[in-house]
Amino acid sequence: MKKITPLIFVLLSMLSYINASAQSLIWKEVLPGVWKGVAGKPEAYDLLKASGASPKKEAIAKIGKADFPFNRSEIAIKIIDGKTYLRFPLMKEEQLYGFGLNFQTVNQRGKILQLHVDHYGGTDNGRTHSPTPFYVSSKGYGVFINSARYLNVYAGTAVRKDSKNKPAEQDRNTDTNWNAQPYSDAVEILVPAAGVEIYVFAGPSPLDAIRRFNLYNGGGCLPPRWGLGFTQRVKSLYTSDEVEKEADAFEQKGYPLDFIGLEPGWQSKSYPGSFEWDKSRYPDPEKFVSEMLQKNIRLNLWINPYVSKYAAFYKNILPYTCSHTVWNGVVPDFIMPQARKYFFDQLKNNQIKLGVSGYKIDEVDGYDNWLWPDVATFPSGIAAEQMRQTYGVLAQRYSTEIFHQQNKRTFGLVRASNAGAVSFPYVIYNDYYKHEDFVTALINSGFAGVLWTPEVRASEASEEWLRRMQTVVFSPMAMINAWASGTKPWSYPDVAAQVKDLALLRMQMMPYWYTEFAKYHFEGTPPFRAMNLEEGFYQSNTNVVTNKNLQENPYVLATVSEVKDQYMAGEYLLVAPMFTGNKTRQVILPKGNWYDFYTGEYAGNGEIITVTPGLDKIPVYVKDGAIIPMQQPLLHAPRAGVKVDIEFRHYGEKDGYYKLYDDDGETYNYEKGDYSWRTIKMKKNNKGEWEGSISEAEKNKPCSIGNVSWKHVAPSK
Ligand code: GAL
């Protein structure tokens, strides 16, 4: 090879200098209030491509036009050595939320994270089940990095020497206010690729920015009605007889139940899986599934996608699998249509066609020691790292597709997700079990475009059992996961009656949960979300949430006073769970009048209250003017075509208003317009009595609403 002459060398270094210099980003407003910026040469594979998400354009347009939400000339991009360096401005009083499904913190300003799909390991360091590269600012905008790589995030931690807002130097020898974490005015992100797509979502409020993000990802999922009922996962090695008996026990004892989850033992081999029924435990799967459906119980099957050599399709799928195995099973390359066909055809023909209603897709997150390493290769050419970031997304996407083809909705569980997967009907769970952190995860799920269940497994004592059960019935999936413990809702006899009441309350609230999920789907509003997103939260009269100290030091709020133990559930409810050992707790009520959910009693306005609810109750508060639709406490969700009576409960002094969603509850016909929103109002008549009204049912649209009645919930005078 010829020697590089000095001149060429100089030219080459100049070129790489030009490459490394600041790049200008071209921004394009792709939809109202949504901008896309392209830095360098983005990779062919990214989060939106993995999920195939298609934006809900009309719904985004309805949120309204908006200006670019911050000074875009302050965004800095550099591409050096095949990596993209991103910097976004950050103002003094700004707080940051999001960066995935965190478990211990809500405010993310001041964090250093590596966004990496993993099983949660007990620290909010970016490694989590859904490390969604999306953050929301309290200033009312969101930023999304559409990359399927591990991203390094410095969320307001680093200080550049050329910063316009550089903190003053302090002398630790003499200055008692010396700060080890000087003020930083930027969010910086390192993307290990020579280019990336960036999206900015306008508000005006932080919740609007989230709504635009969710809608850009296809809108939230709309579960079937039965998905919002109660679910029990049975012990791993149960037989079909035992499962049937378990369903009968629920019925006889009067505990609601909509679906049962079978754990690894339904398969003839598992870890790695055969994806076939075990004939000794399930001798006649077809008969079993149909008998269960007659009992109004659906079945959800545990899988992880790693294929045993005993699986019937093993030889066929082998050429389309990863270089490395997981628990000795081969890893299907879901980018390849052949791998998808062999894998998902097996589920379709062997299970879904028999009437199985969904899956729990386990182990698609981590740990590193179990999963394929980053040096693994996949036949599609997708890097192991990109596969790690999106394997859960792909599994959700292609399993949902089979149910969609059958025009049947599903609602399942998954242990890994990412941006792009907002519309897939899956709820994240894990093996971690700290009740307090499960509540914080529920709050953060609303920033991460995912759903999360604070599942109940077993407890040391009945108090804990009841407290956990209270949280789970106010969550996306009301589930006992008894795969190891074999617990039942009535396993702790001294609280069995309370647990039954809670499970029945969940059923009564089904029209509310269902409508709130419809809002997630059609309007992008997360059904479970942080207090910080609530209008009036920052206006409340409490030191905890005022911005007073923030101007001085933005870390004060981040470290001392975040609100991570209470959350909003749907439009009108504020839920403040109790934890083991608590007799009382404080609840922050945003500005506006709030009322006790159970009694209608006035609770407060823009203040911190201290409550002593007793063991039976989880504190729940309702906004002034709320209407909560309640049905009878059924043991199973109503099937398509069945009508249920609804009592509309009104709270407070303001006129009541609610938009109630209705469709058949089971199929995808809503995509063709087979749904309606009924307007519910409650006003005082001229005698001073509360009177309700409901708009007419739309002609030729499914109607599940039977007789209606009205109740103004208030303590008797
Ligand atoms: C774990 C999962 C548990 C249970 C178990 C069965 O990975 O998180 O919920 O399904 O597998 O082996």
Side-chain angles (χ1 to χ4, degrees):
M1 210 174 73
K2 265 194 185 170
K3 272 196 182 159
I4 300 179
T5 65
L7 184 66
I8 294 181
F9 185 77
V10 170
L11 276 175
L12 278 177
S13 3
M14 273 173 68
L15 262 180
S16 76
Y17 175 76
I18 293 168
N19 229 2
S21 69
Q23 315 249 324
S24 63
L25 257 188
I26 312 291
W27 288 99
K28 187 170 174 251
E29 188 169 9
V30 286
L31 285 171
V34 182
W35 290 264
K36 176 173 160 180
V38 178
K41 200 172 170 301
E43 294 182 281
Y45 187 69
D46 58 34
L47 295 173
L48 293 178
K49 294 217 180 67
S51 73
S54 61
K56 279 194 154 352
K57 296 183 182 161
E58 283 169 28
I60 291 179
K62 267 198 193 157
I63 302 177
K65 293 202 174 84
D67 291 332
F68 199 91
F70 53 91
N71 184 356
R72 71 180 96 173
S73 66
E74 286 183 30
I75 302 174
I77 312 280
K78 275 187 185 174
I79 296 169
I80 306 171
D81 194 21
K83 294 189 178 120
T84 306
Y85 293 57
L86 301 173
R87 180 153 45 99
F88 300 92
L90 192 55
M91 287 161 74
K92 271 212 157 167
E93 64 281 14
E94 232 173 321
Q95 277 304 330
L96 302 174
Y97 312 112
F99 292 118
L101 187 67
N102 287 299
F103 283 73
Q104 294 177 339
T105 49
V106 175
N107 295 339
Q108 299 303 320
R109 188 167 183 160
K111 287 284 194 60
I112 297 175
L113 306 162
Q114 191 191 43
L115 304 183
H116 187 311
V117 166
D118 202 349
H119 199 285
Y120 182 65
T123 340
D124 286 359
N125 58 10
R127 282 192 169 239
T128 181
H129 305 271
S130 185
T132 317
F134 172 62
Y135 69 90
V136 185
S137 156
S138 55
K139 288 270 164 205
Y141 66 86
V143 175
F144 164 46
I145 313 299
N146 183 21
S147 165
R149 296 280 175 183
Y150 307 145
L151 306 183
N152 289 327
V153 173
Y154 303 84
T157 59
V159 186
R160 284 181 64 92
K161 66 181 181 192
D162 61 359
S163 160
K164 278 194 242 146
N165 310 299
K166 233 168 66 168
E169 187 179 317
Q170 290 170 303
D171 177 9
R172 196 176 190 177
N173 290 339
T174 53
D175 188 344
T176 46
N177 290 325
W178 185 89
N179 196 339
Q181 173 74 78
Y183 169 72
S184 153
D185 65 351
V187 175
E188 299 189 81
I189 300 176
L190 183 66
V191 182
V196 71
E197 273 180 18
I198 303 155
Y199 288 84
V200 169
F201 298 89
S205 69
L207 182 58
D208 291 326
I210 293 175
R211 292 176 56 214
R212 286 187 214 262
F213 169 77
N214 284 342
L215 292 167
Y216 198 79
N217 285 264
C221 69
L222 181 60
R225 276 201 178 86
W226 57 259
L228 300 176
F230 201 85
T231 179
Q232 171 84 17
R233 304 199 70 85
V234 297
K235 269 193 120 164
S236 205
L237 295 182
Y238 257 34
T239 64
S240 54
D241 280 350
E242 286 169 313
V243 176
E244 296 216 27
K245 278 197 198 109
E246 181 123 328
D248 295 344
F250 271 75
E251 193 81 24
Q252 279 152 17
K253 292 174 190 283
Y255 286 79
L257 183 63
D258 266 299
F259 58 111
I260 283 189
L262 308 185
E263 289 286 318
W266 73 270
Q267 288 181 73
S268 57
K269 295 262 186 257
S270 112
Y271 290 53
S274 63
F275 305 90
E276 268 160 41
W277 298 88
D278 180 86
K279 283 284 176 321
S280 65
R281 289 185 285 273
Y282 296 86
D284 190 345
E286 194 164 357
K287 181 161 160 273
F288 165 63
V289 177
S290 104
E291 281 174 6
M292 291 298 287
L293 287 174
Q294 277 162 30
K295 294 180 202 278
N296 277 308
I297 309 293
R298 294 160 207 264
L299 292 163
N300 172 290
L301 302 182
W302 177 101
I303 54 168
N304 66 33
Y306 313 118
V307 183
S308 154
K309 66 178 186 211
Y310 297 104
F313 60 101
Y314 175 78
K315 283 221 170 77
N316 292 335
I317 206 167
L318 195 57
Y320 311 106
T321 56
C322 173
S323 57
H324 289 62
T325 57
V326 175
W327 290 301
N328 300 319
V330 293
V331 181
D333 182 342
F334 286 143
I335 300 293
M336 304 202 71
Q338 298 93 327
R340 298 203 296 264
K341 185 170 163 39
Y342 291 123
F343 188 86
F344 291 105
D345 272 4
Q346 172 68 12
L347 307 196
K348 179 166 80 188
N349 297 329
N350 193 255
Q351 299 126 43
I352 297 172
K353 283 198 170 156
L354 306 190
V356 163
S357 75
Y359 290 90
K360 166 174 169 176
I361 306 172
D362 205 23
E363 312 288 4
V364 282
D365 46 352
Y367 299 103
D368 287 357
N369 286 32
W370 297 345
L371 239 58
W372 62 86
D374 287 347
V375 295
T377 55
F378 283 83
S380 62
I382 295 294
E385 169 184 354
Q386 293 171 305
M387 203 56 118
R388 177 80 176 259
Q389 295 294 69
T390 57
Y391 208 59
V393 173
L394 297 170
Q396 291 178 71
R397 172 179 179 179
Y398 295 111
S399 54
T400 304
E401 214 171 83
I402 321 173
F403 287 98
H404 199 272
Q405 283 159 11
Q406 322 268 319
N407 196 22
K408 275 189 193 153
R409 276 184 248 171
T410 178
F411 199 43
L413 292 144
V414 73
R415 235 172 56 186
S417 196
N418 213 324
V422 178
S423 71
F424 301 137
Y426 281 91
V427 182
I428 302 177
Y429 66 96
N430 69 7
D431 287 339
Y432 187 74
Y433 202 46
K434 190 155 185 239
H435 188 187
E436 286 86 340
D437 292 357
F438 271 20
V439 171
T440 305
L442 194 50
I443 291 167
N444 284 322
S445 66
F447 295 119
V450 297
L451 300 169
W452 159 257
T453 174
E455 65 172 43
V456 182
R457 280 171 229 148
S459 296
E460 303 234 316
S462 50
E463 179 191 356
E464 184 201 336
W465 184 252
L466 184 55
R467 290 308 191 194
R468 285 183 179 274
M469 205 63 82
Q470 289 170 346
T471 304
V472 87
V473 302
F474 284 90
S475 86
M477 192 179 272
M479 174 167 77
I480 295 180
N481 179 10
W483 75 277
S485 60
T487 50
K488 324 267 184 261
W490 52 86
S491 288
Y492 299 78
D494 48 330
V495 295
Q498 288 96 322
V499 169
K500 188 199 265 187
D501 286 349
L502 275 166
L504 290 170
L505 177 65
R506 170 84 182 188
M507 297 306 286
Q508 282 180 284
M509 292 176 74
M510 194 171 272
Y512 180 71
W513 298 130
Y514 194 57
T515 296
E516 297 306 319
F517 269 94
K519 291 180 190 163
Y520 187 34
H521 178 71
F522 289 100
E523 297 166 7
T525 308
F528 297 89
R529 55 188 191 279
M531 295 310 304
N532 310 56
L533 296 172
E534 192 54 24
E535 219 184 294
F537 181 67
Y538 284 105
Q539 283 91 56
S540 64
N541 216 356
T542 62
N543 284 332
V544 183
V545 290
T546 50
N547 280 340
K548 225 173 27 203
N549 297 326
L550 225 52
Q551 296 286 350
E552 309 310 319
N553 181 356
Y555 302 107
V556 170
L557 195 74
T559 52
V560 180
S561 48
E562 56 178 0
V563 180
K564 54 179 194 171
D565 60 355
Q566 61 175 77
Y567 57 94
M568 292 300 299
E571 185 170 352
Y572 288 130
L573 301 180
L574 185 166
V575 183
M578 301 288 292
F579 306 105
T580 302
N582 294 165
K583 296 276 176 291
T584 79
R585 67 158 289 165
Q586 294 197 320
V587 181
I588 299 172
L589 299 176
K591 203 168 161 48
N593 289 335
W594 292 84
Y595 298 86
D596 184 285
F597 173 66
Y598 308 97
T599 62
E601 199 172 331
Y602 173 75
N605 177 341
E607 61 193 289
I608 299 180
I609 56 169
T610 300
V611 295
T612 311
L615 192 57
D616 295 0
K617 291 271 179 320
I618 173 171
V620 179
Y621 300 94
V622 191
K623 253 188 227 178
D624 199 357
I627 292 179
I628 311 290
M630 306 277 278
Q631 67 181 31
Q632 305 101 294
L634 305 170
L635 294 188
H636 313 284
R639 289 191 169 211
V642 172
K643 284 194 169 33
V644 289
D645 296 347
I646 294 191
E647 179 183 84
F648 293 102
R649 296 193 183 169
H650 171 256
Y651 289 81
E653 286 307 313
K654 278 194 189 160
D655 287 355
Y657 175 80
Y658 196 60
K659 246 170 47 177
L660 182 73
Y661 178 75
D662 198 11
D663 68 8
D664 67 26
E666 286 179 20
T667 73
Y668 282 96
N669 294 354
Y670 65 87
E671 292 180 343
K672 299 181 215 121
D674 277 356
Y675 65 87
S676 62
W677 293 95
R678 306 278 293 272
T679 305
I680 320 296
K681 288 184 180 157
M682 193 105 166
K683 278 194 179 103
K684 271 191 181 159
N685 62 20
N686 47 21
K687 283 188 241 144
E689 294 152 352
W690 288 100
E691 213 170 77
S693 67
I694 176 167
S695 61
E696 286 292 313
E698 279 181 54
K699 280 211 184 92
N700 305 322
K701 295 282 165 80
C703 173
S704 72
I705 304 167
N707 297 321
V708 299
S709 56
W710 310 89
K711 184 175 177 182
H712 172 68
V713 187
S716 46
K717 288 197 178 121

